[in-house]
Amino acid sequence: MKNEKWNRAFPEVPDYVHQTVLSTLAGLDERKGKRVKRMGKRKAIILIAAAVAILGTTVSATEIFKWNRRAAEVFVADEVQQSKLVTEQITQDASQTVTDAGLTIEAVQTIQDNNCFYALFKITAKDESIQITQDHSMSFLFDFQDGESPFGALGWHFVDEESQTVSNSRYFEITGIKTRPQSEDLHMKIQFTSLNAPGAKAMDGEPVLMGNWEFVLDLHPIEPVRFDLNREYQIAGRPVTVKTVELTPISVKLSIDEEDARQLEQWEGVNLDQTDSLSSLCIYGVKYQDGTIIEEDSYPELLVRIGDGVYEKTAKLTNVIDPDKVSALLVGENMDEITLP
């Protein structure tokens, strides 16, 4: 049984389903002891149930993993969308917990695609007199299997006090902006080294607890839905050539002709070389083929590049979308449509 290749014995499903089955069997083996010679009825029933879960519908499989409440606030999705993101391994149950020096860190959930990365951890001090606020910080190190980081920028923080009351336990979030797409699985190690007291502005305070909490995360590549357009659209009343649009359920990448971007720059009175944004290209929503509009104030920009004849921007989507249903991007305050084939 230990040498069985589960991905060959059953249809392809997320790794966490495989691990659930293996963990169940391993736990049963421990309870029964090493001298068990044949499978008991209880073990057979659980094995059958696990097989049914794997061979059953996608929704049945994804019910093994329930989204964390905080993650669902950062990436708004209904139950069907949540299940789909689990199936596509855009979101994963990290399911790792490490305790050291009176501090327990749980890796709760990751959500990522070819543009952005989000990891949610839960930090809990055994000593309840240690009250963790949004101004505390964590020190940690990254290590990548191939030695090269895919991230152009990383950010991290404890959640604010509007989202979670102060106690000895608090959620900690790490976000990343990717500058190179993944073609293979990314194996990433995160080693936490201390919980720190609040410090001066943009500085960590003195360590409250020091230890070693190590986690290994496996991130899977995501193939975006890509549209090669090379078409002219009216944006803010001006002709703009849109080259490409790439969509995933949680992000969008838009590229236009650099000369057209410079014209918008002059019209808006901004300076792109000083990292100013083009308000006429802010992505305010998407439109589905049935006319439904998924709208919010503005999708936050993750990355902007300009040069070699192209202006390219990447934005994170707060509301999870179905890329296959999108008929247009809505940009600027006038919600100008960039229609998609």
Side-chain angles (χ1 to χ4, degrees):
M1 182 67 72
K2 292 181 180 179
N3 295 324
E4 183 60 48
K5 300 294 185 181
W6 289 97
N7 59 338
R8 296 178 184 174
F10 299 113
E12 183 178 355
V13 295
D15 290 341
Y16 66 84
V17 179
H18 298 174
Q19 296 304 321
T20 299
V21 176
L22 293 175
S23 298
T24 299
L25 296 181
L28 287 167
D29 286 339
E30 290 176 2
R31 288 195 297 270
K32 294 293 184 180
K34 296 182 179 180
R35 297 182 60 185
V36 174
K37 294 183 179 180
R38 62 180 179 179
M39 188 183 298
K41 289 183 179 180
R42 176 175 173 78
K43 184 172 181 178
I45 290 171
I46 293 179
L47 177 57
I48 291 171
V52 168
I54 293 175
L55 294 171
T57 65
T58 299
V59 174
S60 295
T62 56
E63 284 177 353
I64 295 174
F65 165 42
K66 293 293 186 182
W67 273 49
N68 175 271
R69 176 191 58 79
R70 172 60 185 175
E73 293 174 354
V74 178
F75 294 86
V76 180
D78 59 31
E79 290 186 2
V80 173
Q81 291 171 322
Q82 289 182 2
S83 295
K84 186 175 181 180
L85 264 60
V86 173
T87 302
E88 295 176 353
Q89 299 187 67
I90 293 175
T91 183
Q92 296 183 89
D93 182 3
S95 296
Q96 300 176 52
T97 302
V98 180
T99 299
D100 188 26
L103 192 72
T104 297
I105 301 180
E106 177 188 359
V108 179
Q109 186 173 351
T110 60
I111 303 174
Q112 64 92 37
D113 66 358
N114 57 323
N115 296 316
C116 56
F117 165 78
Y118 171 85
L120 179 65
F121 295 85
K122 185 178 182 182
I123 315 294
T124 304
K126 183 178 179 180
D127 183 353
E128 295 185 2
S129 68
I130 298 176
Q131 298 287 287
I132 305 174
T133 71
Q134 64 186 43
D135 297 321
H136 280 71
S137 63
M138 297 295 299
S139 295
F140 58 92
L141 303 170
F142 276 100
D143 186 27
F144 301 92
Q145 188 178 49
D146 61 3
E148 184 179 359
S149 170
F151 301 114
L154 284 164
W156 53 89
H157 62 272
F158 281 103
V159 301
D160 61 47
E161 289 164 19
E162 292 182 0
S163 302
Q164 191 175 19
T165 57
V166 175
S167 72
N168 64 314
S169 183
R170 195 166 202 83
Y171 285 127
F172 184 77
E173 298 171 315
I174 300 177
T175 57
I177 302 170
K178 296 182 181 179
T179 55
R180 62 180 178 91
Q182 292 173 241
S183 58
E184 299 179 352
D185 285 3
L186 173 66
H187 306 286
M188 179 172 65
K189 182 170 72 176
I190 302 178
Q191 181 183 7
F192 291 92
T193 56
S194 66
L195 166 67
N196 307 313
K201 186 176 181 180
M203 298 289 290
D204 291 340
E206 293 296 320
V208 176
L209 294 171
M210 300 180 67
N212 181 29
W213 304 266
E214 188 174 295
F215 300 86
V216 177
L217 303 178
D218 292 320
L219 307 179
H220 302 281
I222 304 300
E223 188 68 27
V225 176
R226 179 183 173 93
F227 299 90
D228 293 305
L229 300 173
N230 293 309
R231 292 168 52 186
E232 187 176 281
Y233 296 84
Q234 288 294 313
I235 296 176
R238 285 158 176 75
V240 173
T241 298
V242 178
K243 293 180 175 292
T244 63
V245 170
E246 292 184 7
L247 296 171
T248 80
I250 61 173
S251 71
V252 57
K253 182 181 290 185
L254 168 68
S255 67
I256 72 169
D257 182 80
E258 180 181 358
E259 184 177 341
D260 292 345
R262 291 298 184 184
Q263 291 179 357
L264 290 173
E265 173 188 35
Q266 293 179 7
W267 176 70
E268 293 188 22
V270 298
N271 190 330
L272 295 179
D273 297 320
Q274 295 181 1
T275 69
D276 289 343
S277 296
L278 290 173
S279 60
S280 54
L281 288 179
C282 284
I283 301 170
Y284 279 88
V286 299
K287 184 178 182 180
Y288 281 168
Q289 295 160 0
D290 64 1
T292 300
I293 292 177
I294 311 298
E295 181 183 348
E296 59 181 63
D297 291 339
S298 177
Y299 293 137
E301 292 182 350
L302 297 177
L303 184 68
V304 174
R305 292 172 174 167
I306 188 166
D308 299 324
V310 175
Y311 172 92
E312 180 182 87
K313 65 175 295 181
T314 304
K316 169 187 168 294
L317 304 179
T318 300
N319 293 291
V320 174
I321 64 168
D322 186 341
D324 294 326
K325 294 181 179 179
V326 176
S327 63
L329 293 185
L330 306 176
V331 299
E333 293 183 358
N334 294 329
M335 306 283 274
D336 293 321
E337 292 191 12
I338 298 176
T339 56
L340 306 175

